[in-house]
Amino acid sequence: MAADATIEAQRHTVGYWVGLLLLLLGAAFLAGVLHHTSRHYSHVSSVIWQLPVDAAWSIMRMLLAYLLSLAFALIVGIYAAGRPRSARFIIPILDILQSVPIVTFFPAALAVAVNLMGGGTFGMNVAAIFLVFTGMAWNMAFSVYESLRSIPRDIRECAEALGIRGTQRLLTITIPSCVPGLLYNSILSWTAGWFALTACEILTVGNKSTSLPGLGSFIANANNSANPFVMGLVGVAALLSVVVGIEIFIWRPLGVWAQRFRYEMTVSTMSRDSALLRWYQQGRFPRFLSRVLVVSLNRLSNAVFTRVRGSSLRMILPRREAPGYAARAVAVAVRLAGWALAAAVVVGGIYYGWTTIRGHYSPLTGYIPLAIGLSFLRIAVAYLLSLLWTVPLVLWAYRKPRVFRGLSSVSQVLASLPAISLTFLVINIFVIHLHLGHFWGVEIAGEILLMNGVQWYVLFNMLGGLSRLPGDLIEVCDAMGLSRWKKFRSLLAPAIMPSLLTGTVTAFGGGWNTLVFSEAIQYAGHQYNVMGIGWLLDVASGSASPGHYAPPLSSHQQGALLLMGVGALMVFIVVFNRFVWRRLQAWASDRFRIEY
Amino acid sequence: MLMKLDNVSKIYQTDGPPATVLADISLEINSNEFVCIVGPSGSGKSTTLRLINGLMPPSVGRVYFKDKPMAGINLQCAMVFQNFALLPWLTVTQNITLGLEARNIPRADAMKKAALYIDKVGLDGFEGAYPRELSGGMKQRVGLARALAIEPELLLMDEPFSALDPLTSINLREELLDIWADPNLAVSTVVMVTHNIEEAVELADRVVLVAGRPGRIVADIEIAIPRPRNKNADAFTRYVDSVFSLMAEC
């Protein structure tokens, strides 16, 4: 009976929290609109009618960028996994691209790209899609590479022994093996994509700003509209409903479908996927719609699996033969050409950089080291504050499956909210209502925005780490009657250490990306700036003022500042990753890995 | 003679000093023979099996199949794996027809063959099931059917019963012998790797003992007991004891 009751209760949980969330949003939305209607009724309602169109535009851009990323990830990941020698170059390059906060020079890159394509909305759309792509692709390529590297040895041998090669191998083994990892990373990529979208649907060059119709530009424009609070609220509500909708109608059915692509190797007691499956089997309303997707995906994959054919007619399959002289000469020539091209790019880049920088120093150039230091400090504080609330929460929730599941979903949704979309809230609270003054008010408001870019990664990864914790270890601790503190020290803390570190690295990455929004806030015609690399880069791209630090910069000075700021930041981040994070991660995975 | 390993050694190039796993292995396998390779773990039994299949080339020496030196993967072999090596996203039938499709056998024929071997291993009714819905014993039946379906001249088995519970493995061993003895089925020659000496003596015509580091062939014993074999008979226990004592000496 008790078991039946829990199942009955679980049947409704997902529906409950989704419903609750929608209800709250709806209420907030209505309140905002009602508050507003007395004065600007016509304006708000016209904006609301415009929103679905904006959302559709943004989703289209995201989808195109995502499809590009998917193709890129599969091609590069499969290529690298099959060629260890190439992988030695490809993997570090991907790693650097992944750790560099591309959002920081979005505006500048966007301006260049749009000019290259002769201006106009077409060029801007292409540039926006490409920039969203740069926020989505790298982790997906990594995931393909990792998935292929971890195909169990006996499966690889079995495929070889059966003579499965070429297209048959690609469609029946290679791509299916990537599905679970790709799905998880696709969700992360979409989160990153929403973030990028807010930066690239709006372009400011000098005093002129152009924007594409979309949710991103809506949110960015909201802060400078006549009634930023209501517009901000409307923007957040619209984005949240899109994100929740995609989660329910796309990611969850895909998650159910992806179940069949997992190799059975670990036995976990409380995996996200079993919860997902249960949700799928027991949910009511969403199940009906998502079932269509699952069923058609299953049909499609079965059709592929039964129709794909091999062509191994010879009875002894030769290993790859040693290439002839001609082939070897071609390979050497290709490699030399590649090196020459790389050298040309590097030399050209240095020359271009030198001519951009030379003679265009501004008083702000000297502030770059200080700015990076201050920004790093802000991220570190945001990170520690995040730990302060996420660690106790996770420890409280880890044995409550329903809470746990709810937390994962909610954090995933909230992580999709770009910092800029919360500007209206923090500025209203800390600067306008609490009168904390320009210094403390802006500093705290910025810190809260920064936390939004940091905390969800910490939470995600800890939840993930705990869900992979073997149940028998928890049982052993219970059976020995360990106190809470003892259990935390001897089991939970070490067990979550590797995933906490992964979370830390991604959190700092998220932090660097958020800085351009949190250190130079524009709200209702005011600018709230603090000294830091984010602000400096905003000054360099012309979207923030240099304030009392320097007179307005010439466009040459801006270019020089941008190049030097981004360059210094990249060097700092890459060196820090290499010498701090990489070592800590290696240590943690070596020391705290759970193996059977 | 079907297979021959001629003075074969296998050396792995690792980061440290090269590790020799197998040294000077010479082994002949005749048609219609059931050969078991036994030995302690790490002695290179599985490596020997992979050399026979052509999954890896020998570092020294040559491998011959029907008197021709092998230069790649031998598609006339089929392998059964310890942990089944089933693709979780394919149904029982799809897993079994995988090798047939690789050989470009027409779909209708492939389905017919799959149905035949599904019946032979006793999986009727599970054609559309996914591996994760099956018990360990049933998974290994799929692995066996997949190998049999390509009608190999040589069936290779890498500890096929060691991941199964004792009762299941007893049943599967008996069925394997029935399939091997069935004149209507193509498979006639079997090489099986196991660390279970009793299992080897129960099944094999010849037991080859590989031991030491690097692994060498220590003994090659003909099991001259008529089938069906009684595990409690004196002759049976004598064979088991002699292999045990040989293994203990190494």
Side-chain angles (χ1 to χ4, degrees):
Chain A
M1 276 312 284
D4 287 350
T6 30
I7 289 174
E8 185 60 31
Q10 274 168 349
R11 172 178 298 187
H12 299 294
T13 30
V14 177
Y16 277 143
W17 73 256
V18 170
L20 199 68
L21 196 67
L22 290 177
L23 216 70
L24 279 173
L25 285 173
F29 183 70
L30 265 180
V33 171
L34 284 176
H35 170 73
H36 198 78
T37 36
S38 49
R39 283 173 294 165
H40 302 285
Y41 179 81
S42 60
H43 176 60
V44 168
S45 77
S46 77
V47 158
I48 289 169
W49 285 115
Q50 188 56 38
L51 261 178
V53 182
D54 284 354
W57 271 107
S58 288
I59 291 171
M60 285 272 281
R61 278 178 211 116
M62 291 277 285
L63 193 63
L64 277 171
Y66 173 72
L67 292 177
L68 271 180
S69 307
L70 195 61
F72 172 85
L74 282 171
I75 291 169
V76 171
I78 291 172
Y79 184 87
R83 290 165 190 76
R85 284 182 58 177
S86 315
R88 279 202 320 227
F89 295 100
I90 295 173
I91 296 307
I93 291 174
L94 285 179
D95 193 31
I96 290 177
L97 285 172
Q98 191 182 25
S99 54
V100 170
I102 292 172
V103 171
T104 50
F105 49 96
F106 258 4
L110 198 59
V112 170
V114 169
N115 281 334
L116 277 180
M117 273 171 290
T121 46
F122 177 76
M124 208 169 149
N125 263 313
V126 173
I129 288 166
F130 177 72
L131 291 175
V132 172
F133 164 86
T134 60
M136 283 179 159
W138 323 122
N139 59 318
M140 288 168 66
F142 261 115
S143 136
V144 170
Y145 177 76
E146 293 294 333
S147 302
L148 293 179
R149 301 278 294 173
S150 53
I151 293 180
R153 190 186 146 180
D154 57 351
I155 297 274
R156 266 184 286 142
E157 286 184 338
C158 171
E160 280 182 50
L162 287 173
I164 297 167
R165 292 191 161 189
T167 321
Q168 193 193 8
R169 188 180 174 115
L170 184 74
L171 292 178
T172 55
I173 296 170
T174 310
I175 292 180
S177 301
C178 300
V179 169
L182 258 181
L183 178 65
Y184 177 71
N185 276 283
S186 298
I187 299 176
L188 293 186
S189 285
W190 273 73
T191 303
W194 288 118
F195 191 92
L197 205 68
T198 49
C200 67
E201 282 182 349
I202 185 159
L203 171 65
T204 316
V205 182
N207 295 327
K208 218 183 95 202
S209 105
T210 330
S211 51
L212 294 170
L215 277 182
S217 61
F218 182 92
I219 288 167
N221 283 329
N223 288 334
N224 283 322
S225 67
N227 194 332
F229 188 80
V230 175
M231 297 299 272
L233 209 60
V234 170
V236 168
L239 183 57
L240 268 185
S241 4
V242 171
V243 169
V244 170
I246 291 177
E247 163 78 11
I248 290 179
F249 296 112
I250 308 285
W251 298 133
R252 287 183 170 240
L254 278 176
V256 172
W257 173 68
Q259 289 270 60
R260 62 190 281 201
F261 296 99
R262 290 162 56 99
Y263 292 109
E264 296 167 85
M265 283 186 298
T266 50
V267 183
S268 66
T269 45
M270 194 167 59
S271 76
R272 176 186 146 81
D273 299 287
S274 65
L276 242 183
L277 203 61
R278 225 178 308 136
W279 168 83
Y280 173 67
Q281 284 155 354
Q282 292 161 357
R284 273 188 192 155
F285 160 67
R287 170 182 160 196
F288 173 73
L289 279 172
S290 58
R291 170 160 239 159
V292 179
L293 185 59
V294 177
V295 168
S296 33
L297 277 172
N298 272 331
R299 287 234 176 102
L300 179 73
S301 41
N302 269 327
V304 170
F305 293 146
T306 45
R307 272 176 192 71
V308 64
R309 318 206 53 81
S311 54
S312 311
L313 295 171
R314 275 182 292 182
M315 272 301 135
I316 299 231
L317 276 184
R319 265 182 274 279
R320 198 176 296 165
E321 287 146 28
Y325 286 111
R328 251 182 287 175
V330 169
V332 169
V334 166
R335 203 166 304 152
L336 281 179
W339 282 112
L341 188 70
V345 167
V346 169
V347 170
I350 290 174
Y351 176 74
Y352 172 76
W354 175 242
T355 50
T356 310
I357 294 169
R358 196 181 43 174
H360 299 303
Y361 303 104
S362 63
L364 288 177
T365 320
Y367 282 111
I368 290 177
L370 173 71
I372 291 181
L374 283 175
S375 294
F376 180 76
L377 225 85
R378 285 195 192 100
I379 300 178
V381 170
Y383 169 72
L384 290 176
L385 289 175
S386 307
L387 279 188
L388 222 56
W389 74 266
T390 49
V391 170
L393 180 69
V394 162
L395 288 179
W396 168 75
Y398 84 103
R399 295 187 84 173
K400 305 179 178 64
R402 288 167 57 189
V403 180
F404 198 86
R405 204 147 31 106
L407 262 183
S408 330
S409 307
V410 169
S411 66
Q412 196 174 299
V413 168
L414 290 182
S416 298
L417 279 185
I420 195 171
S421 67
L422 299 175
T423 310
F424 74 96
L425 214 58
V426 293
I427 289 292
N428 260 294
I429 295 174
F430 293 102
V431 182
I432 297 173
H433 285 298
L434 290 181
H435 304 292
L436 285 175
H438 195 83
F439 182 76
W440 283 109
V442 177
E443 198 61 74
I444 292 173
E447 197 64 33
I448 302 281
L449 289 187
L450 202 48
M451 268 181 79
N452 186 60
V454 167
Q455 61 200 359
W456 305 116
Y457 294 105
V458 180
L459 184 59
F460 267 174
N461 279 285
M462 275 197 293
L463 289 172
L466 276 179
S467 70
R468 286 189 292 272
L469 182 64
D472 52 357
L473 288 185
I474 302 176
E475 280 166 7
V476 158
C477 287
D478 289 346
M480 289 190 300
L482 292 189
S483 68
R484 267 167 178 267
W485 170 240
K486 198 90 180 130
K487 192 155 76 182
F488 172 71
R489 267 194 36 199
S490 53
L491 173 67
L492 299 175
I496 56 175
M497 198 53 92
S499 40
L500 178 60
L501 265 169
T502 310
T504 306
V505 176
T506 39
F508 271 75
W512 290 115
N513 267 323
T514 313
L515 285 174
V516 276
F517 302 108
S518 71
E519 290 182 344
I521 300 170
Q522 297 183 24
Y523 186 75
H526 288 277
Q527 287 210 5
Y528 303 94
N529 298 334
V530 292
M531 165 60 81
I533 191 70
W535 164 71
L536 222 50
L537 290 173
D538 279 336
V539 173
S541 63
S543 56
S545 82
H548 60 84
Y549 289 97
L553 304 187
S554 72
S555 64
H556 285 301
Q557 283 175 323
Q558 285 184 350
L561 182 62
L562 186 74
L563 211 62
M564 290 177 71
V566 169
L569 184 60
M570 265 158 77
V571 169
F572 180 81
I573 289 175
V574 170
V575 168
F576 200 81
N577 277 355
R578 184 107 220 133
F579 291 100
V580 181
W581 294 143
R582 187 68 59 76
R583 289 186 184 183
L584 274 175
Q585 276 184 307
W587 165 77
S589 79
D590 196 46
R591 175 89 171 66
F592 300 120
R593 193 179 30 199
I594 295 174
E595 265 182 341
Y596 280 105
Chain B
M1 184 177 54
L2 188 67
M3 277 299 315
K4 185 175 158 194
L5 275 67
D6 188 15
N7 269 313
V8 164
S9 296
K10 182 72 194 171
I11 301 155
Y12 282 119
Q13 291 295 343
T14 48
D15 295 336
T20 308
V21 226
L22 283 174
D24 300 323
I25 300 282
S26 290
L27 179 66
E28 289 181 5
I29 290 150
N30 300 313
S31 294
N32 304 321
E33 222 178 3
F34 197 130
V35 178
C36 276
I37 302 176
V38 296
S41 17
S43 59
K45 310 181 292 278
S46 290
T47 305
T48 313
L49 209 62
R50 278 154 183 77
L51 290 172
I52 293 175
N53 201 349
L55 282 170
M56 43 174 80
S59 311
V60 182
R62 281 215 138 152
V63 181
Y64 296 89
F65 183 73
K66 293 184 173 170
D67 295 324
K68 278 193 216 116
M70 263 173 43
I73 294 162
N74 188 348
L75 290 189
Q76 276 150 309
C77 292
M79 177 97 91
V80 176
F81 293 84
Q82 177 176 4
N83 291 315
F84 325 127
L86 302 179
L87 294 173
W89 46 86
L90 299 184
T91 61
V92 167
T93 305
Q94 286 168 346
N95 261 296
I96 293 171
T97 52
L98 208 56
L100 300 171
E101 276 152 11
R103 284 160 180 71
N104 228 344
I105 287 168
R107 179 131 188 260
D109 295 357
M111 295 305 281
K112 231 179 274 171
K113 269 191 191 162
L116 169 71
Y117 287 100
I118 283 174
D119 177 56
K120 284 290 169 200
V121 299
L123 279 174
D124 304 84
F126 291 94
E127 290 84 354
Y130 287 97
R132 70 179 82 243
E133 298 158 9
L134 304 177
S135 67
M138 287 159 85
K139 281 181 199 161
Q140 196 54 299
R141 284 165 202 269
V142 181
L144 186 59
R146 177 176 63 189
L148 294 173
I150 63 171
E151 305 190 333
E153 298 209 32
L154 176 57
L155 179 65
L156 303 172
M157 307 183 90
D158 189 8
E159 307 209 15
F161 306 123
S162 51
L164 305 176
D165 67 86
L167 212 62
T168 311
S169 59
I170 289 173
N171 287 334
L172 260 179
R173 273 198 289 267
E174 278 173 14
E175 287 173 40
L176 175 64
L177 280 180
D178 288 345
I179 287 169
W180 177 62
D182 191 335
N184 297 323
L185 296 184
V187 65
S188 58
T189 316
V190 181
V191 177
M192 182 170 126
V193 161
T194 175
H195 57 240
N196 182 340
I197 293 171
E198 253 187 63
E199 182 176 280
V201 174
E202 181 193 347
L203 295 172
D205 296 319
R206 261 165 70 203
V207 172
V208 175
L209 176 59
V210 178
R213 268 168 208 255
R216 292 168 200 277
I217 293 184
V218 179
D220 190 337
I221 304 157
E222 195 117 349
I223 309 293
I225 315 176
R227 293 183 172 91
R229 289 169 181 168
N230 176 2
K231 282 190 188 174
N232 298 319
D234 285 348
F236 192 94
T237 44
R238 266 203 302 279
Y239 274 115
V240 173
D241 288 346
S242 69
V243 180
F244 254 122
S245 51
L246 276 168
M247 196 142 105
E249 281 168 26
C250 303

